[in-house]
Amino acid sequence: MSFKLPELPYAYNALEPYYYEATVRIHHDTHHKAYVDSLNVTEARLAEARDKGDFALIKHWEHELAFHGSGHLLHTLFWENMRPGGSSTPKGSLAERIIEDFGSFNNFKKQFTAAAVAVEGSGWTLLVWSPFFKELEVLQAEKHQNLTQWGVIPLLIVDVWEHAYYLKYQNERVKWVEAWWNLVNWEDVLQRFEDSASLMNVSW
Ligand code: MN
């Protein structure tokens, strides 16, 4: 799969005076584009690694996958979350849910603002819906990713903290991971994948 830089859903100068045309142009055409291009390079290098069975650089490429994948995804959402002139407050079920989970819109806005201002270094602040916890949350992200891509739903998980394997496997994590493959419940994984498929038409 090859990723493409999405066009802005408005003109470069449409967010003036709050967001300057020159900044929007550089941010979209240069910064966002670099994430898309690097994500495509990363996907190609990972395909090569799979073909060759050579995972010597796996840590590097997994980092690149998380960094550029999350960078592309978050910028796409960022552009679509804005519109010329804005709109003052949420409506409908979102408005109700914000009140339920944060007490009031004003409380939510204060928490979101405080979280955004307090992000350490470079990053983002997001309002998210957790399908697992069934609630809205405000989350910070340092850089784009911390080795994940936003919006994914976990299907299959292995715990590689030492507490998960140390008594039997000591420092030999690879032996634990190889043993763990014998325990996987693929029917559970399939069920999670099929349940998640209803979200395949989420539009960006
Ligand atoms: Mn950016």
Side-chain angles (χ1 to χ4, degrees):
M1 173 169 185
S2 183
F3 296 94
K4 283 201 189 103
L5 178 67
E7 286 189 20
L8 286 181
Y10 32 71
Y12 288 103
N13 66 356
L15 303 178
E16 296 262 15
Y18 302 106
Y19 209 3
Y20 289 138
E21 175 178 354
T23 310
V24 172
R25 200 174 278 280
I26 292 168
H27 196 175
H28 176 268
D29 292 4
T30 306
H31 292 275
H32 187 167
K33 182 174 187 298
Y35 296 119
V36 175
D37 292 346
S38 298
L39 179 59
N40 285 326
V41 169
T42 302
E43 295 272 15
R45 292 293 96 78
L46 281 167
E48 280 174 23
R50 288 191 294 271
D51 286 346
K52 293 178 185 163
D54 177 1
F55 295 100
L57 296 176
I58 191 63
K59 201 171 167 186
H60 169 73
W61 291 118
E62 290 292 346
H63 177 275
E64 293 288 283
L65 183 63
F67 183 76
H68 299 298
S70 292
H72 172 37
L73 191 151
L74 289 170
H75 279 96
T76 302
L77 290 174
F78 173 71
W79 300 124
E80 297 199 358
N81 274 172
M82 294 185 288
R83 74 173 210 189
S87 50
S88 55
T89 53
K91 305 255 186 314
S93 59
L94 174 62
E96 290 166 20
R97 193 72 207 201
I98 284 174
I99 291 168
E100 196 177 327
D101 289 346
F102 296 95
S104 68
F105 175 70
N106 212 29
N107 283 355
F108 154 71
K109 197 171 167 184
K110 282 184 190 165
Q111 182 179 338
F112 190 97
T113 300
V117 171
V119 170
E120 280 188 282
S122 302
W124 303 76
T125 293
L126 306 94
L127 170 66
V128 302
W129 169 252
S130 167
F132 294 100
F133 296 161
K134 299 195 176 12
E135 62 180 14
L136 296 170
E137 299 277 17
V138 169
L139 295 174
Q140 297 172 316
E142 292 176 10
K143 300 200 286 179
H144 301 307
Q145 81 294 0
N146 283 346
L147 303 182
T148 192
Q149 289 182 354
W150 291 91
V152 298
I153 295 177
L155 302 176
L156 172 66
I157 296 172
V158 62
D159 188 340
V160 291
W161 282 66
E162 287 183 348
H163 66 230
Y165 60 88
Y166 213 75
L167 281 184
K168 182 168 170 64
Y169 298 101
Q170 287 86 49
N171 58 330
E172 296 186 280
R173 184 188 288 173
V174 63
K175 287 192 177 167
W176 154 237
V177 175
E178 283 169 359
W180 168 84
W181 279 115
N182 296 300
L183 303 173
V184 171
N185 180 349
W186 283 110
E187 284 166 17
D188 176 65
V189 181
L190 171 63
Q191 187 62 53
R192 290 178 189 284
F193 178 66
E194 288 182 345
D195 290 348
S196 306
S198 64
L199 295 174
M200 277 185 182
N201 293 323
V202 169
S203 67
W204 300 110

